[in-house]
Amino acid sequence: MKSYQVGRPSERPWAGVKKTFFTIAAMLLTSLTFTVMAQDVTVSGTVKGADGSGLPGVTVQAKGTTKGTQTGLDGTYKLAGVAKNGTLVFSFVGMETKEVAIGNKSVVDVTLVDDTKALEEVVVVGYGTVKKKDATGAVNAIGAKDFQKGIVTSPEQLMQGRVAGVQITQSSGEPGGGINVRIRGTSSVFGGNNPLFVIDGVPLSGDNISGGGDASGVGRQPAKNPLNFMNPDDIASIDILKDASATAIYGSRGANGVVLITTKKGKGKGSLEYGYSHGFSSITKKYDLLSAAEYIAAGGQNKGGSTDWQDELFRTGQTSQHNLAFGGGDASGSYRFSLGYLNQDGIILKSGIKRYSVGFSGTKKFINDKLTLGSNLNFANTQDTGVPISENSGFEGDLLGGILKSNPTQPIYTTDAKGNQIYNQPGNTEPNPLAFANLSRDNTNTLRALGNINAELQIIEGLKFKTVLGFDKSLSSRKSAYSSDLVVTGIGGIGRAYVNDIEVDNQLWENYFTYDKEIGKTSLNALLGYSYQSFDRYSKSIAAANFRTNDLDLMINNIAAANAGKFGSNVINNSSSEKDELQSYFGRVNLNLSSKYLVTGTLRIDGSSKFGGNNKYGVFPSGAFKWKLMEESFIPKNVFSDLALRLGYGVTGNQSIPHNLYDRRDRYSGWGINQGADNIEGGGLNAVAFNNPNLKWETTAALNVGLDFAILNNRLSGNIEFYQKNTKDLLFLVVSAQPAPTPFSWKNLDTDIQNRGVEVGLNFSAIDGKDFGWEVLANTAFNKNIVKNLSGVYDTGEINGQGLTGAFAQRIAQGQPLFAYFLREFGGYDEAGNSIYPAGDFQQFLNGKSPLPTVTAGLTNNLRYKNFDLSLFFNGVFGNYIYSNTANAFFTKGSFANGRNVTKDVVGSKEGPLNAPDVSTRFLQKGDFVRLQNLNLGYRVPVKSKVFSNLKLYVTGQNLLTFTKYTGQDPEVSTNKSINGIPSFGIDYTAYPRAKTWTIGANISF
Amino acid sequence: MKKNNIYKILLASTGLAFMSACTDLVNDEKDSIVRTSAGGTFTPGDPVALLESAYKDLGAYTDQANIYALGVHTTAEMIPPTRGVDWGDNGVWRTLDAHTWDATHSGITNAWNQLNQRVFKATEIIASNPSASQKAQAQFLRAFNMFHVMDFWGQVPFREVTQGVDELPKTLSRSEAFDFIVKDLEEALPNLGKVAPSATNGVANKAAANFLLAKLYLNKGVYKAAAAEGPYTFDKADMDKVIAYVDAITADGYSLDKSYFNAFTTASKNETILVSLEGSAQNRWFMTLHYNQNPSGWNGFTTLADFYDKFEKDDPRIGVPAKGDGKEFSGIGRGFLIGKQIMDNGKDLIDTRTQKVLSFTRDVPLAGAATDKGIRVIKYHPSDASKYILMRYAEAALMKAEAQFRGGNTAGALTTVNSLRTTRGAKALASLTADTMFDEIGRELYWEGGKRTVEVRYGKFTTGTGVEIKDAYTVLYPIPSSAIVSNPNLKQNKGY
């Protein structure tokens, strides 16, 4: 299919270009000569925009020739030597191309209108674009108008709920925290389930780029979302490739879907845009804990104070955003610069994220538009301030655990022997949450730059060659310190600091040919290319203990404050350097027969250094067929405005596993300081991996059947998709057959993970009047997941808390969905208040109850009235279950009996104080929810100013209402509770609480 | 025009050239030592680094879970009470105490993986062109780890270094494993160093090999029995070997410490044969001390009153009260901690949860225990603990006494036992029976990790206090279910 292309060749001197990136190519090209045909008339005129002002930079070309020019600043042009009987073509980026026959006229004035329709209808498919109506695969495109509004820290959030079959779960409410994206269910266990992200043609590695944490007394903390570097304001569109026929062009990385992000390009005569917003976030729902009075009334120990720990630690977080962009463009090139600033305070004291971002994109055409040079660059500095909330804190609890369980009668402060006010910290087992927050510091500073420079050359008519050099570099340092004044296991009286640095250096070089040809009613579009991508990664981590100061800044920035003279005080944990490579050959052919039958065939051969000598290369084919029923005479045109049937099948892969797991390698293990900071342990030479030359790709074969339709004169349009995905050769970390060098080894498991589903997307233009409009967008998806033919069972979903060491809640086994819950069936309490389990005091599957939703849905209502517009967006998730590790660990009679606060429902329950709260369905709840995710009210101020061309004011509310039966803080949650690297899903453990946010803002164009 | 075409062809071919392969996808590892073994051949590692690492791996024995738990929790010396919500841990501790474990028990699985992995590392060292001394040390370490596998599970998987990831290890029967271990030790013995007793003896030595050989022959009746649950017969010839091995240790200069608790301190000079230089003994106090004590413990394991009552009140091994003289950790006594507890400054210790003076009770239930239930045990004191001891001369002396006893020399055995008792400051025994011999082993070696083996040998393992499943098959642990999935050559032990 032809890509959306407005610019046509025009004569353009290539002088005036400052510097080019591909000098050699350019030099070759300058020697090319081109035909100039003799002509006879001169035509002039003015090109205007819809507002009546002159449009500069419009390409004016005599059709079928290379003769052309561009309009000047006032929109006028003059073109000499064109044929009398010729036709002029006026084209401009973002506007509808217009053709006007010259006839006998010597003055041709035209008015160009915005070509929004054409923009909407194009989808990016990887190494090119296609018109949406010609797309053969399951592809969704969303543009700026569909994006989530308000405070959006990373690109995934823009598309939450907007696309059928794409489920986006923020693992918690933490600013900048991790996000799970699942396209068409969950098909892998170890191979990662996030889709491949491609930004302006550069595929990202998907690895974390900042360090996690694992401080003594705190627990394991996840890395921040690696996509935080991307300012959502710089994004023009997101295209989601869902089925294998579309993703196969990304071969070994396509199994989980592909998300293609295209950044904004400059257009028009040059404009300056500024956007500002200010948001206020507060917790949506506090935990229903006992107040001091209620705690005493329930028989709790009175320590004399009255503290609402939630009030002490939660706050209204303010967020301000500034975005400044300027750019312009015409048919011969474009440029855009942007600056972004985000300062978001979390709703927990001290937490937050700051981002400074810079974006640039530019293109320029040379040599009669035969050579196009382009570059995109996104650069950001992200500064995260974390708080000690972890994924696996023990019974002592992390910061959030402390907020939930601290005795409400415990005063925050006490006085020391000298009469100074100090934090009241009763002991290691009951950390004072305010002290935890204020006597610790956790800063992550990340610089990431992603960009590419590319050159496209038209060799002959229809044949183009494009080369792309891409890079993705990041430097990240996470530094944390815990004061010796903080009474927490392993910290009190010791003081600890950690430094964790990660450096990533990924490079891309791609070269490909595209060929477009039309022969009669048949058109052909072919792609053939080669790609090389390398992924270098370095890390270094340091730990120190026994600090001689309690000044957190000094601890981080003058780490020698750790008393290195005392054994066990400091250690370089370890460093690492890894490089992976991916070398690929790919091709695609699109055939359009009579505009009625469209056929796509794709093949990618990927070679990856992640796999063993016997299986370095994998072959990933796909094919798709589209029958445009609308073109058939038997389809009643009075009923349908569009009707097409699609069929696609393809094989894609997954290679998201750690570096080199097939060579028998030894590495000195990391050193660590023990709990008492009086010994250093570790450092032995140990095997990293077992020799396994047969290790290979995980492959997913997927079938897709889709129907696109439009009725009621295009007012109602939509699509229905049916799919089935089968994943085999599952990459799995299995228990080694001992004796063995490593406890686990990587193998391809002979199993079959199946996802089957239906997706429906509907767009309905209910009213489309001049002053009033109402548009409804709805999508829903059903997915069923099941594991087949798996030998052995694999436990995951670690449950933490007092008396829960070794407990788990999920098991992967055949006949069950992935991550199926495996629990005791709770049946209430006996007379002594101990749990009874009518089905037996052992864990079992629960009829396929799992954390994976079976239905996801989104509903958007867009209303406009004159200069006002209102958008309401709801999303919903159904059929999933959430296990509350938080309740399991903290909201029990036993916990209350041990002097801790609990939720109000615990007091009235029949549970006895000595009951052991074993893992059971007592803590399992339905995770269904419907949420008013986004409400946006905008007003376009009618300006007649010469300074402003556009002024828009808006108010946005995010996460305003949630309808759910889940009693935890929020049903959109997934704390990483992996066991032996097997990930979990849908478990809630002291997750950073979620906020609702109101934002007011203004966008101004100059 | 011609010129144009030439350029076009040139360009197209340049483009094609860009598309030729530019990498062979072979890793150039910079942060690890590649030891690829293609086609079943083994690439030797660096024996120095591997051996150092194998010694570090001994740190696993210092943990309170897994290997240690299998060796002690299952006996009548220790109980892991569930205290309300605390230490429930999905039942892993209670099932050890009640002998109701199954093949998915995490402690059993972890111990299996840890021990066998350690065996493999030793096998790799032996195949990595070691010096005679290095080889002997590796053989000792292999024997030490494999001994535990044989003892716990009654069958031992064995992987050759040339076997790849998809090849299944063969399985040695208990009897074959016994012979294998003895052979390793006999071969190692001449090339191991002779070292004097020292609190920091962290390297395999002659005394350690003799110690393990003595233990093997003392239990040979168990390991070579037709059925794991017995009956066991102990040949005099084997008992004589035990005596000879212990005498060899004595000849190397090892003897008993006059002060029992001194043997567990950095000042120990007479008894220590082998310690783990990796890790420390800290888990032995954390696992038993109360939260409010200094150091703050995990308020876990206790002993049982029945066991405590096996001691005469004037046996110094029963303990030394806390001094409470203001020095750090002086609030903690040695031996059995029972009754009222004090702080370092000598004042009564208040339990912050109950707001009462902390006083450890004699009684302790397995479930629903309050925080003060149960007698605590401190052999390594936080103020002066030595490295974690794997082999101690007193155990050798008791092995000799038992060998004398089983070999028919009851008088000699009584002399040996009384020599130990009087050195410790306890009264001499008037006579010796199998039961008094068994009790004496308990009084000397309590909580040191090997009690299960002793109970099995004396036929007392399946009948102890708190045991719910009293069936004989529990003398062996089940092969972990994950191990059977990984290696179908393994047959599950009888009864599971």
Side-chain angles (χ1 to χ4, degrees):
Chain A
M1 305 315 105
K2 271 206 152 164
S3 54
Y4 172 63
Q5 187 185 349
V6 191
R8 292 278 162 150
S10 72
E11 205 161 328
R12 177 80 185 161
W14 89 295
V17 178
K18 292 179 283 179
K19 280 200 170 182
T20 68
F21 303 109
F22 290 92
T23 323
I24 295 168
M27 280 168 65
L28 278 168
L29 283 158
T30 46
S31 16
L32 293 174
T33 55
F34 294 96
T35 324
V36 179
M37 290 159 72
Q39 307 298 340
D40 40 337
V41 297
T42 299
V43 186
S44 64
T46 310
V47 181
K48 289 178 178 172
D51 59 353
S53 61
L55 273 183
V58 176
T59 301
V60 185
Q61 195 196 357
K63 194 176 183 183
T65 72
T66 55
K67 194 79 189 171
T69 183
Q70 286 195 322
T71 57
L73 280 174
D74 54 356
T76 58
Y77 70 96
K78 191 171 188 179
L79 188 59
V82 292
K84 247 186 196 173
N85 57 350
T87 301
L88 289 182
V89 180
F90 298 86
S91 58
F92 189 71
V93 178
M95 301 217 152
E96 252 173 44
T97 300
K98 202 160 194 174
E99 295 189 7
V100 180
I102 299 167
N104 290 322
K105 287 172 278 189
S106 60
V107 175
V108 177
D109 293 338
V110 298
T111 302
L112 293 183
V113 294
D114 283 352
D115 188 9
T116 48
K117 210 172 166 190
L119 277 174
E120 270 169 31
E121 283 185 345
V122 168
V123 289
V124 183
V125 290
Y127 307 103
T129 57
V130 295
K131 287 180 193 149
K132 186 159 189 234
K133 63 186 173 72
D134 289 344
T136 53
V139 181
N140 287 81
I142 58 172
K145 78 177 180 66
D146 307 310
F147 288 165
Q148 197 85 248
K149 309 291 189 297
I151 297 166
V152 178
T153 10
S154 69
E156 306 98 306
Q157 291 165 281
L158 291 174
M159 54 181 184
Q160 186 173 27
R162 307 287 173 151
V163 178
V166 180
Q167 193 206 355
I168 289 160
T169 311
Q170 278 179 265
S171 51
S172 75
E174 184 188 15
I179 295 179
N180 293 307
V181 181
R182 297 286 176 272
I183 296 179
R184 295 192 160 177
T186 306
S187 58
S188 183
V189 176
F190 280 91
N193 279 297
N194 276 351
L196 173 71
F197 283 87
V198 179
I199 298 182
D200 288 330
V202 179
L204 305 186
S205 78
D207 293 330
N208 283 324
I209 57 154
S210 62
D214 200 353
S216 181
V218 177
R220 183 183 67 221
Q221 295 177 282
K224 307 296 178 195
N225 183 355
L227 291 179
N228 284 343
F229 83 103
M230 188 75 219
N231 181 359
D233 196 59
D234 285 338
I235 295 174
S237 65
I238 299 178
D239 294 85
I240 299 144
L241 314 184
K242 296 196 290 197
D243 76 332
S245 75
T247 64
I249 196 67
Y250 287 104
S252 66
R253 293 173 291 178
N256 297 324
V258 178
V259 176
L260 300 154
I261 293 175
T262 308
T263 57
K264 287 180 180 164
K265 308 285 179 275
K267 61 182 177 185
K269 59 190 171 186
S271 68
L272 175 64
E273 288 167 8
Y274 170 68
Y276 169 72
S277 71
H278 197 88
F280 301 88
S281 305
S282 56
I283 190 166
T284 45
K285 177 186 161 191
K286 283 191 192 173
Y287 280 94
D288 191 22
L289 299 172
L290 299 175
S291 68
E294 288 163 336
Y295 185 79
I296 296 162
Q301 189 188 108
N302 186 354
K303 295 193 165 183
S306 174
T307 309
D308 184 329
W309 293 103
Q310 296 194 89
D311 283 352
E312 292 301 324
L313 273 297
F314 298 149
R315 65 176 176 186
T316 297
Q318 304 205 21
T319 302
S320 52
Q321 292 186 88
H322 299 267
N323 283 301
L324 182 72
F326 64 96
D330 56 33
S332 74
S334 69
Y335 67 95
R336 182 179 187 270
F337 288 93
S338 69
L339 279 170
Y341 170 74
L342 166 81
N343 185 353
Q344 180 180 4
D345 284 341
I347 56 167
I348 291 183
L349 217 61
K350 292 184 71 185
S351 61
I353 180 172
K354 271 188 204 177
R355 177 181 59 216
Y356 305 87
S357 58
V358 177
F360 165 74
S361 76
T363 60
K364 194 73 189 165
K365 291 184 176 170
F366 305 98
I367 319 167
N368 292 323
D369 289 355
K370 284 190 163 33
L371 175 68
T372 309
L373 297 182
S375 178
N376 295 292
L377 176 71
N378 288 87
F379 177 83
N381 175 12
T382 313
Q383 297 171 354
D384 297 286
T385 309
V387 284
I389 291 180
S390 73
E391 298 168 335
N392 63 345
S393 65
F395 73 94
E396 300 99 328
D398 56 9
L399 172 63
L400 203 90
I403 294 171
L404 300 180
K405 75 181 173 72
S406 286
N407 185 331
T409 67
Q410 181 192 319
I412 303 169
Y413 302 101
T414 183
T415 47
D416 66 7
K418 291 173 191 158
N420 299 318
Q421 177 175 287
I422 56 164
Y423 287 110
N424 178 14
Q425 303 185 79
N428 279 348
T429 60
E430 308 298 330
N432 177 325
L434 200 65
F436 218 151
N438 285 324
L439 299 178
S440 68
R441 186 150 299 173
D442 179 8
N443 297 333
T444 306
N445 198 338
T446 307
L447 276 174
R448 186 171 187 176
L450 172 85
N452 73 79
I453 46 179
N454 58 72
E456 186 179 59
L457 176 72
Q458 184 180 327
I459 298 168
I460 54 170
E461 180 75 31
L463 179 65
K464 289 176 182 166
F465 173 73
K466 187 166 185 178
T467 184
V468 180
L469 275 172
F471 64 90
D472 176 8
K473 288 176 192 281
S474 65
L475 290 169
S476 178
S477 184
R478 181 173 189 154
K479 299 189 176 98
S480 55
Y482 301 86
S483 160
S484 58
D485 293 339
L486 177 63
V487 180
V488 165
T489 306
I491 297 173
I494 294 170
R496 290 189 188 249
Y498 302 87
V499 180
N500 192 350
D501 293 344
I502 292 178
E503 198 180 321
V504 173
D505 185 357
N506 299 342
Q507 298 188 18
L508 172 79
W509 191 27
E510 284 183 335
N511 298 287
Y512 55 94
F513 291 97
T514 52
Y515 184 65
D516 289 287
K517 183 82 184 170
E518 282 186 39
I519 309 160
K521 286 185 161 182
T522 303
S523 67
L524 166 79
N525 164 268
L527 166 76
L528 182 68
Y530 166 80
S531 165
Y532 171 80
Q533 197 166 6
S534 64
F535 307 89
D536 281 275
R537 188 178 175 86
Y538 317 94
S539 76
K540 177 178 84 222
S541 57
I542 295 169
N546 294 317
F547 276 86
R548 294 171 284 181
T549 176
N550 56 9
D551 180 323
L552 295 165
D553 283 326
L554 207 56
M555 289 171 72
I556 286 175
N557 300 310
N558 186 183
I559 204 162
N563 185 4
K566 185 178 170 194
F567 184 66
S569 293
N570 63 3
V571 68
I572 293 166
N573 302 119
N574 212 341
S575 63
S576 71
S577 168
E578 295 171 348
K579 178 174 187 165
D580 293 305
E581 292 177 305
L582 192 64
Q583 166 164 279
S584 319
Y585 304 89
F586 52 88
R588 179 172 58 207
V589 175
N590 287 323
L591 263 180
N592 183 338
L593 306 166
S594 313
S595 287
K596 202 183 276 184
Y597 310 109
L598 294 109
V599 182
T600 303
T602 307
L603 182 72
R604 183 161 177 137
I605 298 168
D606 268 342
S608 170
S609 65
K610 281 191 178 176
F611 294 98
N614 300 343
N615 292 302
K616 285 203 184 293
Y617 284 87
V619 179
F620 304 96
S622 83
F625 172 70
K626 182 172 188 170
W627 181 16
K628 289 167 107 173
L629 289 159
M630 200 57 208
E631 305 293 324
E632 300 288 355
S633 53
F634 57 80
I635 297 298
K637 304 286 185 292
N638 53 351
V639 178
F640 292 99
S641 1
D642 186 22
L643 193 64
L645 191 64
R646 282 179 283 109
L647 179 68
Y649 176 81
V651 178
T652 51
N654 195 331
Q655 60 130 28
S656 304
I657 53 168
H659 173 71
N660 191 350
L661 301 166
Y662 53 87
D663 278 335
R664 171 70 163 84
R665 291 185 294 140
D666 290 345
R667 213 172 112 74
Y668 290 96
S669 303
W671 296 90
I673 301 172
N674 72 347
Q675 185 177 316
D678 54 10
N679 197 21
I680 290 173
E681 291 161 10
L685 184 65
N686 290 301
V688 181
F690 212 147
N691 182 32
N692 185 2
N694 296 322
L695 194 68
K696 65 172 182 182
W697 319 96
E698 182 175 301
T699 52
T700 299
L703 178 71
N704 189 79
V705 180
L707 181 76
D708 300 326
F709 66 91
I711 53 173
L712 304 173
N713 203 12
N714 259 329
R715 278 177 63 200
L716 179 64
S717 63
N719 64 309
I720 303 170
E721 312 270 346
F722 299 87
Y723 63 86
Q724 175 166 333
K725 299 191 339 182
N726 292 74
T727 303
K728 65 182 178 73
D729 293 329
L730 196 67
L731 284 163
F732 216 95
L733 193 54
V734 296
V735 173
S736 299
Q738 291 288 354
T742 52
F744 301 94
S745 31
W746 286 88
K747 279 191 183 177
N748 292 97
L749 276 193
D750 186 18
T751 185
D752 178 10
I753 295 179
Q754 191 179 82
N755 283 281
R756 265 198 263 193
V758 182
E759 292 165 354
V760 180
L762 292 174
N763 287 1
F764 180 53
S765 175
I767 299 168
D768 192 14
K770 187 169 182 295
D771 286 339
F772 183 63
W774 177 25
E775 182 190 28
V776 184
L777 304 147
N779 73 76
T780 185
F782 306 80
N783 187 72
K784 187 169 160 47
N785 177 288
I786 192 166
V787 178
K788 294 178 170 181
N789 306 325
L790 179 67
S791 67
V793 296
Y794 301 89
D795 297 335
T796 184
E798 180 188 23
I799 300 302
N800 296 108
Q802 189 151 35
L804 291 166
T805 306
F808 67 95
Q810 297 178 337
R811 171 169 281 183
I812 296 172
Q814 82 173 8
Q816 298 291 330
L818 275 174
F819 315 118
Y821 286 111
F822 188 72
L823 306 167
R824 290 172 188 81
E825 284 205 65
F826 179 68
Y829 306 101
D830 63 13
E831 285 178 5
N834 290 320
S835 300
I836 49 175
Y837 305 107
D841 185 5
F842 53 86
Q843 291 177 246
Q844 52 197 300
F845 286 115
L846 308 159
N847 284 329
K849 283 181 184 169
S850 95
L852 305 176
T854 51
V855 179
T856 53
L859 176 69
T860 309
N861 278 283
N862 292 323
L863 296 130
R864 60 178 169 78
Y865 176 70
K866 291 189 173 168
N867 283 336
F868 288 93
D869 59 79
L870 175 68
S871 169
L872 284 164
F873 166 61
F874 291 87
N875 74 328
V877 168
F878 310 92
N880 61 318
Y881 286 81
I882 299 171
Y883 191 88
S884 176
N885 188 168
T886 308
N888 198 167
F890 301 117
F891 303 147
T892 64
K893 260 301 170 46
S895 189
F896 179 74
N898 280 346
R900 303 178 190 135
N901 202 2
V902 291
T903 46
K904 286 174 185 154
D905 58 302
V906 173
V907 177
S909 91
K910 293 194 163 61
E911 186 183 12
L914 294 178
N915 181 40
D918 288 326
V919 170
S920 75
T921 55
R922 177 181 166 193
F923 306 106
L924 188 70
Q925 293 185 10
K926 283 193 168 184
D928 302 355
F929 72 85
V930 171
R931 172 173 286 168
L932 173 54
Q933 183 79 43
N934 212 293
L935 178 154
N936 186 59
L937 176 66
Y939 176 63
R940 187 177 298 275
V941 183
V943 280
K944 295 259 191 282
S945 160
K946 293 221 167 183
V947 183
F948 306 117
S949 59
N950 198 352
L951 172 62
K952 185 171 179 180
L953 305 174
Y954 63 88
V955 181
T956 299
Q958 286 168 279
N959 191 17
L960 298 178
L961 280 171
T962 302
F963 305 93
T964 183
K965 287 186 175 163
Y966 181 61
T967 59
Q969 205 273 328
D970 192 280
E972 185 189 330
V973 65
S974 184
T975 310
N976 175 16
K977 306 295 294 172
S978 63
I979 295 179
N980 299 328
I982 302 175
S984 70
F985 198 71
I987 296 177
D988 182 359
Y989 188 46
T990 63
Y992 190 108
R994 201 167 299 266
K996 63 167 175 284
T997 302
W998 283 104
T999 307
I1000 51 168
N1003 289 326
I1004 308 164
S1005 304
F1006 302 92
Chain B
M1 286 299 162
K2 275 249 165 100
K3 196 176 161 197
N4 196 1
N5 284 339
I6 290 165
Y7 278 119
K8 283 172 185 169
I9 291 161
L10 194 70
L11 263 169
S13 48
T14 314
L16 284 171
F18 282 155
M19 294 172 65
S20 60
C22 64
T23 175
D24 55 6
L25 300 171
V26 172
N27 288 307
D28 174 22
E29 296 298 344
K30 290 176 184 156
D31 71 349
S32 52
I33 304 155
V34 180
R35 288 173 51 205
T36 310
S37 46
T41 59
F42 170 74
T43 310
D46 172 6
V48 176
L50 286 172
L51 192 59
E52 186 189 330
S53 176
Y55 280 116
K56 283 181 179 293
D57 288 346
L58 290 174
Y61 289 84
T62 72
D63 194 356
Q64 84 285 356
N66 308 328
I67 301 169
Y68 180 79
L70 297 195
V72 184
H73 271 296
T74 53
T75 73
E77 262 178 23
M78 184 182 278
I79 182 167
T82 298
R83 303 175 186 275
V85 293
D86 207 1
W87 289 99
D89 295 358
N90 230 18
V92 290
W93 305 107
R94 292 194 303 273
T95 56
L96 286 179
D97 192 69
H99 290 205
T100 53
W101 54 73
D102 66 16
T104 64
H105 192 280
S106 62
I108 294 172
T109 306
N110 294 342
W112 169 272
N113 290 338
Q114 286 176 340
L115 289 165
N116 281 304
Q117 196 177 324
R118 281 155 176 73
V119 168
F120 188 73
K121 189 175 274 180
T123 304
E124 285 207 314
I125 299 168
I126 294 162
S128 293
N129 310 316
S131 69
S133 161
Q134 286 162 347
K135 182 182 177 188
Q137 293 177 57
Q139 283 182 301
F140 170 82
L141 290 169
R142 178 161 75 179
F144 183 68
N145 289 303
M146 196 188 281
F147 167 80
H148 286 85
V149 179
M150 173 190 70
D151 188 50
F152 287 154
W153 290 279
Q155 51 179 309
V156 177
F158 188 80
R159 181 188 292 273
E160 304 289 348
V161 289
T162 50
Q163 286 183 294
V165 68
D166 292 322
E167 291 175 75
L168 298 178
K170 65 180 178 189
T171 306
L172 303 177
S173 69
R174 204 175 206 184
S175 172
E176 288 166 343
F178 178 91
D179 296 340
F180 189 102
I181 297 164
V182 167
K183 180 164 173 281
D184 256 346
L185 289 169
E186 284 174 346
E187 281 176 19
L189 203 47
N191 294 314
L192 289 170
K194 180 187 155 183
V195 299
S198 157
T200 56
N201 268 346
V203 173
N205 54 62
K206 278 191 169 35
N210 283 317
F211 182 100
L212 192 51
L213 280 162
K215 202 165 189 168
L216 280 157
Y217 279 99
L218 184 63
N219 290 289
K220 188 178 168 190
V222 175
Y223 301 143
K224 290 274 185 180
E229 65 272 25
Y232 311 126
T233 51
F234 300 92
D235 291 346
K236 182 164 190 310
D238 293 332
M239 296 303 113
D240 289 344
K241 280 193 156 175
V242 175
I243 294 162
Y245 287 127
V246 175
D247 287 345
I249 300 170
T250 316
D252 280 354
Y254 290 82
S255 63
L256 294 166
D257 205 312
K258 281 205 176 68
S259 161
Y260 178 63
F261 290 105
N262 191 56
F264 303 95
T265 71
T266 49
S268 170
K269 289 194 170 57
N270 307 318
E271 291 201 21
T272 314
I273 297 170
L274 188 69
V275 299
S276 169
L277 291 177
E278 180 72 358
S280 74
Q282 66 175 13
N283 284 21
R284 292 293 167 275
W285 64 76
F286 284 139
M287 71 189 194
T288 188
L289 290 177
H290 189 273
Y291 300 126
N292 293 113
Q293 289 181 294
N294 182 31
S296 172
W298 305 330
N299 205 30
F301 312 145
T302 81
T303 194
L304 295 117
D306 284 352
F307 180 71
Y308 176 72
D309 291 341
K310 300 273 188 201
F311 287 80
E312 297 130 41
K313 289 219 173 72
D314 54 357
D315 185 336
R317 293 174 296 187
I318 203 168
V320 181
K323 287 192 184 117
D325 58 6
K327 283 189 189 146
E328 188 164 38
F329 310 130
S330 66
I332 307 290
R334 292 174 201 260
F336 295 91
L337 310 187
I338 182 168
K340 199 176 74 176
Q341 299 299 304
I342 58 170
M343 297 191 285
D344 290 350
N345 61 12
K347 289 183 188 158
D348 288 351
L349 181 71
I350 306 295
D351 179 340
T352 50
R353 286 192 193 156
T354 62
Q355 293 294 303
K356 285 189 269 191
V357 174
L358 179 65
S359 180
F360 293 132
T361 64
R362 281 174 56 86
D363 64 302
V364 55
L366 182 60
T371 61
D372 58 346
K373 293 291 177 188
I375 304 162
R376 313 304 160 97
V377 177
I378 291 291
K379 292 185 95 165
Y380 297 91
H381 195 276
S383 63
D384 57 11
S386 76
K387 284 288 176 183
Y388 188 71
I389 297 169
L390 300 168
M391 293 177 180
R392 185 162 76 82
Y393 180 70
E395 187 176 353
L398 286 167
M399 286 196 281
K400 178 177 176 177
E402 184 176 335
Q404 288 171 315
F405 180 79
R406 290 190 189 276
N409 181 6
T410 311
L414 184 63
T415 309
T416 310
V417 168
N418 279 336
S419 158
L420 177 129
R421 285 179 61 86
T422 51
T423 308
R424 298 302 191 207
K427 285 196 288 270
L429 297 177
S431 65
L432 196 66
T433 64
D435 280 349
T436 50
M437 185 70 226
F438 175 80
D439 289 346
E440 193 58 35
I441 294 170
R443 285 186 288 261
E444 176 63 32
L445 303 175
Y446 60 94
W447 283 40
E448 290 185 40
K451 188 58 177 284
R452 177 188 154 280
T453 312
V454 180
E455 284 192 356
V456 169
R457 191 166 72 238
Y458 280 86
K460 293 174 186 288
F461 183 67
T462 58
T463 55
T465 319
V467 174
E468 282 174 24
I469 295 182
K470 296 183 190 291
D471 295 340
Y473 72 82
T474 59
V475 296
L476 291 180
Y477 290 113
I479 306 294
S481 50
S482 61
I484 290 180
V485 169
S486 72
N487 181 0
N489 286 352
L490 292 164
K491 296 276 177 293
Q492 185 53 277
N493 282 328
K494 203 178 75 182
Y496 294 103

